Amino acid sequence: MRVLICGGGVIGASIAYFLGCRGVEAIVFESTGLACAASGKSGGFLALDWCDGSPLEPLAQRSFALHARLAREVEGEWGYRRLDTFGGLAGSRRHLRHHGNSYDIEWLSPSVRVEQRLGSTDSTAQIHPAAFTAAMMRAAQARGAELRRGRVTGVARRGDAAKVTGIEVDGETIEGDAVVIAMGPWSILAAQWLPLPAVFGLKGHSLVFETGTRLVAGALFIEYREATGAIQSPELFPRGDGTTYVCAISSETPLPVDPADVNPDPGAIERLHAMCSEMSPVLASARILTRQACYRPITRDGLPLIGRVPGIEGAYVATGHSVWGMLNAPATGEAMAELIVEGAAHTVDLSPFDPGRLPPLHRRASTRPL
Ligand SMILES: Cc1cc2nc3c(=O)[nH]c(=O)nc-3n(C[C@H](O)[C@H](O)[C@H](O)COP(=O)(O)OP(=O)(O)OC[C@H]3O[C@@H](n4cnc5c(N)ncnc54)[C@H](O)[C@@H]3O)c2cc1C
C-alpha cells in the first residue's frame, strides 16, 4: 500500500510516522519546506486537560500521553519538557486590583500581575514545534517514508470519479492507493478537487528572543490591554534551548496562495515587541532572533476534519486543528494510520471530526474527475 500525504506540516509528518510504524509506504509532498508554516512557527504548548468537556477531549488526552512516549522512543531532541503554567494581567489593566494568589516570576516587570496557576508539570508541557515535526519526519523516513518537494495541484480520479488513484504534483501524476490532504489552511485548495468543507486561516504573529538561561521554565498566558483599549492575549514560552517564544496579535489578513508569501502584517511585530518590552525587562533587552507570522487552520465549527472524504474511495483529510495542532498531531497521526490501514480508528473515536458533518465548499467537486 502506498499513501500520498499532501503537506509537510506536523499533521502530515505524524501520519507518515504512524503509517511507517505499520510498515506502510508513505510519501509526503511539501511545496515549500518541512514545517515552514504554523508547524514550525507555533508555540508548541501542550495541555492534558484544556480540551476537557469538548469533543477534542479524547484526542487531546491521547496526544498528551503520546507526546511523552514519543519523547522517550523517537530519536532526536525537540525540547519536550513538562512545566508549570500561569495566567495573569498586564498593560493598562495593571492598575486593577488583583485577587487570590500572586506568583512572583522574577523576569517579568513588577506591573505584570500573575494571579492564576493554569497547569502544573502533571498537566502542561512544551515542545519546539519545528524540531518536533522534523524528528517525526526523520523517524518516518527511518521506517520507509519519503519526503518530496513538490506542489500538489489536484487529485487523479478513476473514470467514474468515485475513487482517487493519485495526485498531480508539478505537472506529473503520482499514483497511490490513498491520498491524505494535510495542507493546513491551504487544504481549502483541495476543496476544488474533492467534496471537502471550507478550511480557513487565522493569522498570528510571534517573536523568538535570545534569552539564554536567564528565564526559568514556565508558560505564561497574559491578558494584555493595549493603550488603545484593544485586548491581546500574549503567550510566553521560555524554551530549553535558551530562546523565548512570544505570540499574540491575530489578524484576518487573507491567506496567500503560496505558503512562501506569509509575512507579518505591517506594524504587528512592532506592537508585539512593545508589549514584550513592557512585560519584561529581560525581553526588552534581548536580541530578537525571529520575527514571523503563521496561520492556524480552522473550520466552521471549530473542530478538525479527520477522516474519509465522503463518497470518494481512498481520499482522506486531516486538518483544521486550530490552536491545538501541535498537541493533537500524534493522536491524529495514529488514528489516521489505523483508519487507512485497518479500516477504522480504534485509539480515538473520530466520529466528531467526520468531514461529512459539514457541507462541501463546492458541490461539483464530488463528481468532477480531474
Ligand atoms: C501563532 C500560533 C501559535 C500556535 N501555538 C500552538 C501551541 O502552542 N500548541 C498547539 O498545539 N498548537 C499551536 N498552534 C496551532 C498549530 O501550529 C497548528 O494547528 C498546526 O501547526 C497545523 O499543522 P498542519 O500540519 O495542519 O498545517 P501547516 O503547519 O500549515 O502545514 C501545512 C503544510 O502544507 C504545505 N502545503 C500547502 N499547500 C501545499 C501544496 N499545494 N502542495 C504541497 N504542500 C503544500 C505548506 O507549505 C505547509 O508546510 C499555533 C498556531 C499559531 C498560528
Side-chain angles (χ1 to χ4, degrees):
M1 186 181 206
R2 188 193 223 199
V3 181
L4 310 177
I5 300 170
C6 311
V10 71
I11 301 297
S14 298
I15 297 169
Y17 170 77
F18 283 100
L19 284 170
C21 292
R22 284 161 180 75
V24 171
E25 181 191 354
I27 310 178
V28 175
F29 293 86
E30 167 55 47
S31 62
T32 312
L34 186 72
C36 67
S39 300
K41 297 176 178 168
S42 68
F45 175 77
L46 315 175
L48 171 67
D49 50 8
W50 290 23
C51 298
D52 281 8
S54 91
L56 286 171
E57 179 176 337
L59 192 72
Q61 298 252 348
R62 176 80 188 159
S63 277
F64 194 80
L66 280 175
H67 270 289
R69 201 178 93 190
L70 292 167
R72 286 192 306 272
E73 293 177 0
V74 169
E75 223 173 283
E77 170 54 44
W78 54 89
Y80 174 83
R81 62 179 177 179
R82 298 293 185 98
L83 35 71
D84 292 317
T85 299
F86 301 95
L89 299 170
S92 51
R93 286 188 68 151
R94 63 183 180 268
H95 58 282
L96 289 183
R97 260 158 46 89
H98 69 279
H99 303 280
N101 284 335
S102 187
Y103 297 92
D104 185 24
I105 296 178
E106 47 83 28
W107 57 270
L108 291 175
S109 309
S111 60
V112 179
R113 297 268 178 260
V114 180
E115 299 177 327
Q116 269 181 297
R117 178 185 281 275
L118 302 174
S120 69
T121 51
D122 291 334
S123 60
T124 52
Q126 74 180 153
I127 53 172
H128 190 297
F132 175 67
T133 305
M136 290 299 277
M137 193 63 232
R138 272 196 311 274
Q141 287 167 301
R143 289 162 177 78
E146 230 185 287
L147 172 63
R148 286 196 205 166
R149 185 75 176 256
R151 186 174 304 277
V152 183
T153 54
V155 296
R157 305 235 210 125
R158 213 173 52 192
D160 64 5
K163 182 179 183 345
V164 293
T165 55
I167 54 176
E168 304 293 325
V169 185
D170 296 329
E172 197 191 338
T173 303
I174 314 281
E175 292 191 350
D177 304 293
V179 171
V180 184
I181 305 298
M183 303 191 302
W186 292 276
S187 301
I188 194 161
L189 301 174
Q192 295 168 41
W193 322 325
L194 292 164
L196 283 171
V199 180
F200 307 95
L202 183 62
K203 195 171 188 178
H205 294 82
S206 53
L207 290 170
V208 181
F209 296 90
E210 186 178 62
T211 43
T213 51
R214 286 181 287 176
L215 276 54
V216 290
L220 283 168
F221 288 75
I222 303 289
E223 186 182 310
Y224 186 104
R225 187 181 288 264
E226 290 182 285
T228 58
I231 299 286
Q232 296 292 338
S233 307
E235 302 175 6
L236 298 85
F237 307 130
R239 290 175 170 162
D241 64 357
T243 65
T244 296
Y245 172 98
V246 184
C247 68
I249 310 192
S250 294
S251 94
E252 293 186 1
T253 310
L255 181 77
V257 174
D258 189 336
D261 292 338
V262 175
N263 289 305
D265 290 355
I269 290 297
E270 291 72 17
R271 276 169 69 199
L272 181 54
H273 191 216
M275 253 185 256
C276 292
S277 299
E278 188 175 328
M279 286 188 291
S280 165
V282 176
L283 296 182
S285 63
R287 190 159 77 94
I288 299 176
L289 299 174
T290 314
R291 300 164 170 84
Q292 60 193 4
C294 61
Y295 285 82
R296 302 166 184 92
I298 54 171
T299 61
R300 280 197 197 285
D301 64 3
L303 293 177
L305 308 171
I306 311 173
R308 292 191 176 89
V309 176
I312 312 288
E313 200 185 325
Y316 301 83
V317 62
T319 190
H321 290 74
S322 185
V323 297
W324 289 120
M326 300 313 304
L327 169 66
N328 286 329
T332 299
E334 183 185 45
M336 283 295 291
E338 292 165 354
L339 179 65
I340 295 167
V341 180
E342 294 149 35
H346 53 85
T347 42
V348 172
D349 173 16
L350 290 181
S351 57
F353 317 123
D354 181 0
R357 74 185 186 276
L358 294 170
L361 184 60
H362 303 295
R363 288 205 179 272
R364 67 191 169 87
S366 55
T367 52
R368 194 187 59 145
L370 195 82

